[in-house]
């Protein structure tokens, strides 16, 4: 399955829609699941990211598509940890932007 990860720091639907529009052409007709975090800031709980990481570690995700690296996290340590886990599980991370 392909994972599409969407995160916004506000509840502005247009920002969510813009991220979806940039990611979905890369998904094509492949089975996918969208992981969303709406109105999430740096210090917020990250349930969408936590679920994505769990699914990667469980071998359910074969590729992650996200608009940009900062959508995964603006925290360099958190982003680095995510990228390390994806790399260890041989899951490519593709940025649409």
């Amino acid at each position: 399955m392909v994972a599409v990860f969407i995160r916004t720091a506000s509840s502005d639907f247009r920002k969510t829609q813009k991220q979806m529009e940039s990611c979905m052409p890369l998904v094509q007709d492949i089975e996918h699941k969208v992981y969303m975090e709406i109105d999430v800031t740096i210090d917020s709980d990250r349930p969408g990211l936590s679920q994505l990481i769990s699914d990667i570690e469980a071998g359910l995700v074969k590729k992650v598509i996200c608009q940009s690296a900062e959508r995964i996290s603006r925290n360099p340590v958190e982003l680095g940890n995510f990228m390390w886990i994806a790399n260890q599980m041989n899951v490519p991370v593709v940025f649409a932007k």
Side-chain angles (χ1 to χ4, degrees):
M1 161 185 68
V2 170
V4 177
F5 186 76
I6 306 294
R7 180 188 67 82
T8 64
S10 72
S11 57
D12 184 349
F13 175 74
R14 291 171 295 176
K15 291 181 179 182
T16 303
Q17 184 177 13
K18 183 178 178 182
Q19 288 183 50
M20 287 293 291
E21 288 172 356
S22 69
C23 292
M24 292 313 288
L26 299 173
V27 173
Q28 300 170 345
D29 291 332
I30 301 169
E31 177 188 359
H32 65 280
K33 178 178 178 180
V34 178
Y35 299 78
M36 273 195 190
E37 293 184 337
I38 307 300
D39 203 15
V40 171
T41 58
I42 290 175
D43 296 329
S44 297
D45 286 336
R46 303 293 310 272
L49 184 61
S50 295
Q51 184 61 56
L52 175 55
I53 290 170
S54 292
D55 288 353
I56 290 171
E57 292 175 333
L60 301 174
V61 175
K62 303 302 177 204
K63 182 194 295 186
V64 175
I65 298 173
C66 189
Q67 184 183 39
S68 65
E70 73 175 14
R71 296 297 88 211
I72 293 171
S73 183
R74 289 187 178 175
N75 177 320
V77 173
E78 188 173 52
L79 176 61
N81 287 338
F82 175 82
M83 297 301 287
W84 185 85
I85 291 166
N87 187 51
Q88 291 299 304
M89 297 300 295
N90 295 314
V91 174
V93 179
V94 178
F95 299 114
K97 191 173 178 182

